[in-house]
Amino acid sequence: MHLNRVLAPDWHIAQWFNTDQSLHLSNLRGKVVILHAFQMLCPGCVIHGLPQTQKIYNTFDPNDVTIIGLHTVFEHHDVMTPQALDAFIHEYRYTFPIGVDQPGERLGIPMTMGIYGMRGTPSLIMIDHKGYIHKHSFGRDDDMKVGADIAMLISEAKADPVTLKGEYLNDNRCDQEKCKV
Amino acid sequence: MHLNRVLAPDWHIAQWFNTDQSLHLSNLRGKVVILHAFQMLCPGCVIHGLPQTQKIYNTFDPNDVTIIGLHTVFEHHDVMTPQALDAFIHEYRYTFPIGVDQPGERLGIPMTMGIYGMRGTPSLIMIDHKGYIHKHSFGRDDDMKVGADIAMLISEAKADPVTLKGEYLNDNRCDQEKCKV
Amino acid sequence: MHLNRVLAPDWHIAQWFNTDQSLHLSNLRGKVVILHAFQMLCPGCVIHGLPQTQKIYNTFDPNDVTIIGLHTVFEHHDVMTPQALDAFIHEYRYTFPIGVDQPGERLGIPMTMGIYGMRGTPSLIMIDHKGYIHKHSFGRDDDMKVGADIAMLISEAKADPVTLKGEYLNDNRCDQEKCKV
Amino acid sequence: MHLNRVLAPDWHIAQWFNTDQSLHLSNLRGKVVILHAFQMLCPGCVIHGLPQTQKIYNTFDPNDVTIIGLHTVFEHHDVMTPQALDAFIHEYRYTFPIGVDQPGERLGIPMTMGIYGMRGTPSLIMIDHKGYIHKHSFGRDDDMKVGADIAMLISEAKADPVTLKGEYLNDNRCDQEKCKV
């Protein structure tokens, strides 16, 4: 038992880019999952966060790690639309899957951003192969440390190949639709 | 007479940001004018061109040099709107005057971009105190060379203090409304 | 048996800096060892390699990884002396252990550089907890990839805690004095 | 009369690199002179100052500006020898003229460094076409500002073509051998 660990809730995506199929955390058991929350008009995301996320995507084996960009619009909602994001992704040539965080009901905070308790953008969340949150950072992360953290999580996953889906779901308070807090 | 020199035509601006009054080239005689053409979703503009333009604005005396950003939208017109530009300017904290290039009638090329024959974004145009185009570059420019070029133009302007507005306008084939090609 | 793997030979050090005691590969079994070969007058080492090595030293737990700088002087021997290196280390504030590679007998190639077959500087060599060479690169390496490689080696070491010194030495064709090729 | 301006004293060079003939300030009247004081084991010089000086050398017309590197060794005298500097210049591929500041008699401060009252390395000194010190900075300078300052000095020189050597020397309290303080 890891009493202090927090299970990552699934994300809520209104629209996907760079992927033909929806991605669900509950289907990614056994793999390391990297979630990069950004806004297309956030300078720190454009200068540091998104290039780093693309580098993660280019560096690691997709069989080991799933990279997901999450467009968590919490300001300037009227101009950071999915249509604008589409042009942004095209111009910056990002190739990793990106989901638009489902708009929230109050205060402009989108749903996944709210559920995860993110403080802003860019935020980087690392989820281990069992679905636990390993790291949740806000701001700029160092490339070497990020590379080391992800590789460590991959090693943990490879050392625990017998994790079964059923066990995972029981261990987890989330199903594919919702997470109990 | 400088037979090979080209007089800079005035720009055509649909909307201004970071300035209370419209800026016209014909009113800027005697000063060096720097025109930086960009698009808010152009990576080369965001990474290099716009930070360099802000640095020009921070480095030189506004009595000597007028810096103008020009939002020359020639693609993704539906999302690079003035409203989106407003949020972009706010988030990136640009403080120099920025004008939205007047939409053009064909092929999506805005008016000023077409008149100046720009090849794309970012483009940097340096205009001397008499209104002639000193330099017109496309792509990335070196900071030291840009600083040297502008200082040289300032020195030329200071060495020629007797230039009169009337002389300038006669010398120029542009009036405040249009430029004869 | 890992038939394709190469056992790392021990290094031959004329003088140590930043450590009170000599470091021997044969005493480092169970730990990951990072060997960074440089010359103090090599621009690629000063601009990229050495700062990266210092970052490795600052990022990883010394209980997991031993970082060693190796001054492999193969040119300008008369000025890249241990005395000059001492001043260099002081001015650049490197804190990881650095050894002066034992001068070689011919062609100016120092001993460890020759034994490892290094092509030049900077060279980065990663040695796993069993003493095998995991990676041997020449030139510039990406921080994220370096971080990932080291973390992976650390994970392998932690998953194999029962490696014994005797087994290690038998597995190895090197003793503390020499390595059989 | 420019009462507040300081005439640049001539430098005292023990040995030159990258030039076949000795350079004297008194022979450079009418030209802008850039003096970059550095030490080969000074990190700020290697990372910022020297690359910037090389860029100045590559950017400006040698008919307008003379660039001089000055090796002002005030520490680690035993290893920052002219012989070591020779290897350093070769490895970093600097192509501008570099002079070794004449060793001083006390405290290890070399002669030119002492006469100019430099605070350390890197120091950048800009001398106008009349031999006056225009700028004397210590530490890191911005490329755009440096480019602008040099271009402004070039413009001043070009606007004052009648400066004669005799006038210059009378105006100056230095002759080719010494400077009266």
Side-chain angles (χ1 to χ4, degrees):
Chain A
M1 286 294 293
H2 300 262
L3 294 176
N4 295 324
R5 295 195 306 176
V6 175
L7 275 162
D10 210 342
W11 38 78
H12 298 259
I13 302 300
Q15 184 175 346
W16 286 99
F17 294 92
N18 289 340
T19 174
D20 291 333
Q21 57 186 18
S22 295
L23 297 169
H24 295 280
L25 180 57
S26 48
N27 292 336
L28 295 170
R29 66 175 287 285
K31 294 181 66 177
V32 176
V33 176
I34 304 300
L35 206 54
H36 174 66
F38 72 98
Q39 291 182 107
M40 58 175 282
L41 294 184
C42 153
C45 304
V46 172
I47 306 298
H48 302 296
L50 285 160
Q52 183 179 69
T53 302
Q54 183 68 50
K55 181 180 276 194
I56 296 172
Y57 187 71
N58 296 344
T59 300
F60 291 95
D61 185 336
N63 292 315
D64 295 332
V65 186
T66 295
I67 318 292
I68 292 169
L70 188 64
H71 198 223
T72 52
V73 180
F74 63 88
E75 57 187 348
H76 308 301
H77 300 78
D78 48 351
V79 297
M80 289 200 276
T81 60
Q83 188 183 14
L85 179 65
D86 191 16
F88 174 78
I89 292 169
H90 178 262
E91 291 301 320
Y92 280 85
R93 303 181 188 183
Y94 298 127
T95 56
F96 52 90
I98 292 174
V100 176
D101 195 3
Q102 189 79 44
E105 294 179 3
R106 58 194 179 89
L107 295 174
I109 306 292
M111 286 185 70
T112 312
M113 186 178 191
I115 290 172
Y116 272 84
M118 295 179 197
R119 285 183 288 157
T121 55
S123 282
L124 185 65
I125 295 172
M126 299 185 181
I127 302 171
D128 72 15
H129 71 290
K130 288 191 170 178
Y132 288 99
I133 293 176
H134 167 70
K135 194 173 189 175
H136 185 155
S137 67
F138 171 47
R140 187 173 181 171
D141 290 291
D142 177 73
D143 272 5
M144 188 180 285
K145 190 73 177 67
V146 165
D149 282 339
I150 295 174
M152 188 272 288
L153 292 177
I154 293 173
S155 293
E156 284 184 7
K158 291 189 173 179
D160 183 24
V162 294
T163 304
L164 298 176
K165 184 160 185 171
E167 174 191 356
Y168 177 69
L169 287 176
N170 288 336
D171 191 28
N172 197 320
R173 293 154 302 180
C174 299
D175 59 21
Q176 287 187 328
E177 294 304 315
K178 62 190 178 305
C179 291
K180 300 170 195 161
V181 176
Chain B
M1 286 293 292
H2 299 262
L3 294 176
N4 295 324
R5 296 195 305 176
V6 175
L7 275 162
D10 210 341
W11 38 79
H12 298 259
I13 302 300
Q15 184 176 346
W16 285 100
F17 294 92
N18 288 340
T19 174
D20 291 333
Q21 56 185 18
S22 295
L23 298 170
H24 296 279
L25 180 55
S26 48
N27 292 336
L28 295 170
R29 66 175 288 285
K31 294 181 65 176
V32 176
V33 176
I34 304 299
L35 205 55
H36 174 65
F38 72 97
Q39 292 182 106
M40 59 175 280
L41 294 184
C42 153
C45 304
V46 172
I47 307 298
H48 303 297
L50 286 160
Q52 183 180 68
T53 303
Q54 183 67 52
K55 181 179 277 195
I56 296 172
Y57 187 72
N58 296 345
T59 299
F60 291 95
D61 186 335
N63 292 315
D64 295 331
V65 187
T66 296
I67 318 291
I68 292 169
L70 187 64
H71 199 222
T72 52
V73 180
F74 63 89
E75 56 188 349
H76 308 300
H77 300 79
D78 49 350
V79 297
M80 290 199 276
T81 61
Q83 188 183 14
L85 179 65
D86 191 16
F88 175 78
I89 292 169
H90 178 263
E91 291 301 321
Y92 280 85
R93 304 181 187 183
Y94 299 127
T95 55
F96 52 89
I98 292 175
V100 176
D101 195 4
Q102 189 79 45
E105 294 180 3
R106 60 195 177 86
L107 294 173
I109 306 293
M111 286 184 70
T112 312
M113 186 179 191
I115 291 171
Y116 272 85
M118 295 178 197
R119 286 183 287 158
T121 55
S123 281
L124 185 65
I125 294 172
M126 299 185 181
I127 302 170
D128 71 15
H129 70 290
K130 288 191 170 177
Y132 288 99
I133 293 176
H134 167 71
K135 194 173 190 176
H136 184 153
S137 68
F138 171 48
R140 187 173 179 170
D141 290 290
D142 177 73
D143 272 5
M144 187 181 285
K145 189 74 177 67
V146 165
D149 283 340
I150 295 174
M152 189 271 290
L153 292 177
I154 293 172
S155 294
E156 283 183 7
K158 292 189 172 177
D160 182 24
V162 294
T163 303
L164 298 176
K165 184 159 185 173
E167 175 191 356
Y168 177 72
L169 288 176
N170 288 336
D171 191 28
N172 198 320
R173 293 154 302 179
C174 299
D175 60 21
Q176 286 188 330
E177 294 305 315
K178 62 190 178 303
C179 292
K180 301 170 195 163
V181 178
Chain C
M1 286 293 292
H2 299 262
L3 294 176
N4 296 323
R5 297 195 305 177
V6 175
L7 275 162
D10 210 340
W11 38 78
H12 298 260
I13 302 299
Q15 183 175 347
W16 285 100
F17 294 93
N18 289 339
T19 174
D20 291 334
Q21 56 185 20
S22 295
L23 298 169
H24 295 280
L25 180 56
S26 48
N27 292 336
L28 295 169
R29 67 175 287 284
K31 293 182 67 176
V32 176
V33 176
I34 305 299
L35 205 55
H36 174 65
F38 72 99
Q39 293 182 105
M40 59 175 280
L41 293 184
C42 153
C45 304
V46 172
I47 307 297
H48 302 296
L50 286 160
Q52 183 178 70
T53 302
Q54 183 67 51
K55 180 179 278 194
I56 296 171
Y57 187 71
N58 297 344
T59 299
F60 292 94
D61 185 335
N63 292 316
D64 295 332
V65 187
T66 295
I67 318 292
I68 293 168
L70 188 64
H71 199 223
T72 52
V73 181
F74 63 88
E75 56 188 349
H76 308 300
H77 299 79
D78 47 350
V79 296
M80 289 199 276
T81 60
Q83 188 183 13
L85 178 65
D86 190 16
F88 174 78
I89 293 169
H90 178 262
E91 291 301 321
Y92 280 85
R93 302 180 188 183
Y94 299 126
T95 55
F96 52 90
I98 292 175
V100 176
D101 195 4
Q102 189 80 44
E105 295 181 3
R106 59 194 177 87
L107 295 172
I109 306 292
M111 285 184 70
T112 312
M113 186 178 191
I115 291 172
Y116 272 85
M118 296 179 196
R119 284 183 289 158
T121 55
S123 282
L124 185 65
I125 294 172
M126 298 185 182
I127 302 171
D128 72 15
H129 71 291
K130 287 191 170 178
Y132 288 98
I133 293 177
H134 167 70
K135 193 172 190 176
H136 184 154
S137 67
F138 171 47
R140 188 173 180 171
D141 290 290
D142 176 72
D143 272 4
M144 187 181 285
K145 188 74 176 66
V146 165
D149 282 340
I150 295 174
M152 188 272 290
L153 292 177
I154 294 172
S155 294
E156 284 184 7
K158 291 189 173 177
D160 183 24
V162 294
T163 302
L164 298 177
K165 185 159 184 173
E167 173 191 355
Y168 178 69
L169 288 175
N170 288 337
D171 191 28
N172 198 320
R173 293 154 301 179
C174 300
D175 59 22
Q176 287 188 328
E177 294 303 315
K178 62 189 178 303
C179 292
K180 299 170 195 162
V181 178
Chain D
M1 284 294 291
H2 299 263
L3 294 176
N4 296 324
R5 295 194 306 176
V6 175
L7 276 162
D10 210 342
W11 38 79
H12 298 259
I13 302 299
Q15 184 176 347
W16 285 99
F17 293 93
N18 289 338
T19 174
D20 290 334
Q21 56 186 19
S22 295
L23 297 169
H24 295 280
L25 179 57
S26 49
N27 292 335
L28 295 170
R29 64 174 289 284
K31 295 181 66 176
V32 176
V33 176
I34 304 300
L35 206 53
H36 174 65
F38 72 98
Q39 292 182 107
M40 59 175 282
L41 293 184
C42 153
C45 304
V46 171
I47 307 298
H48 302 297
L50 285 160
Q52 183 179 69
T53 303
Q54 183 67 50
K55 180 179 277 194
I56 296 172
Y57 188 72
N58 297 345
T59 298
F60 292 94
D61 185 335
N63 292 315
D64 296 331
V65 186
T66 295
I67 318 293
I68 293 169
L70 188 64
H71 199 222
T72 52
V73 181
F74 63 88
E75 56 188 350
H76 308 301
H77 300 78
D78 48 352
V79 296
M80 290 199 276
T81 60
Q83 187 184 14
L85 178 64
D86 191 16
F88 174 78
I89 292 170
H90 178 263
E91 291 302 319
Y92 280 85
R93 303 180 188 183
Y94 299 126
T95 57
F96 52 89
I98 293 175
V100 177
D101 195 3
Q102 190 79 45
E105 294 180 5
R106 58 194 178 90
L107 294 173
I109 307 292
M111 286 184 69
T112 312
M113 186 178 190
I115 291 172
Y116 272 85
M118 296 179 196
R119 286 183 287 157
T121 56
S123 282
L124 184 64
I125 294 172
M126 299 185 182
I127 302 170
D128 72 15
H129 70 291
K130 288 191 171 178
Y132 289 98
I133 293 176
H134 167 70
K135 193 172 190 176
H136 185 154
S137 67
F138 172 48
R140 187 173 181 171
D141 290 291
D142 177 72
D143 272 5
M144 187 180 286
K145 190 73 177 65
V146 165
D149 283 340
I150 295 174
M152 188 271 289
L153 292 178
I154 293 173
S155 294
E156 285 183 7
K158 291 189 173 178
D160 183 24
V162 294
T163 304
L164 298 176
K165 184 159 183 172
E167 175 190 354
Y168 178 70
L169 288 176
N170 288 336
D171 191 28
N172 196 320
R173 294 155 301 180
C174 299
D175 59 22
Q176 288 188 328
E177 294 306 315
K178 60 188 177 305
C179 291
K180 300 170 194 160
V181 177

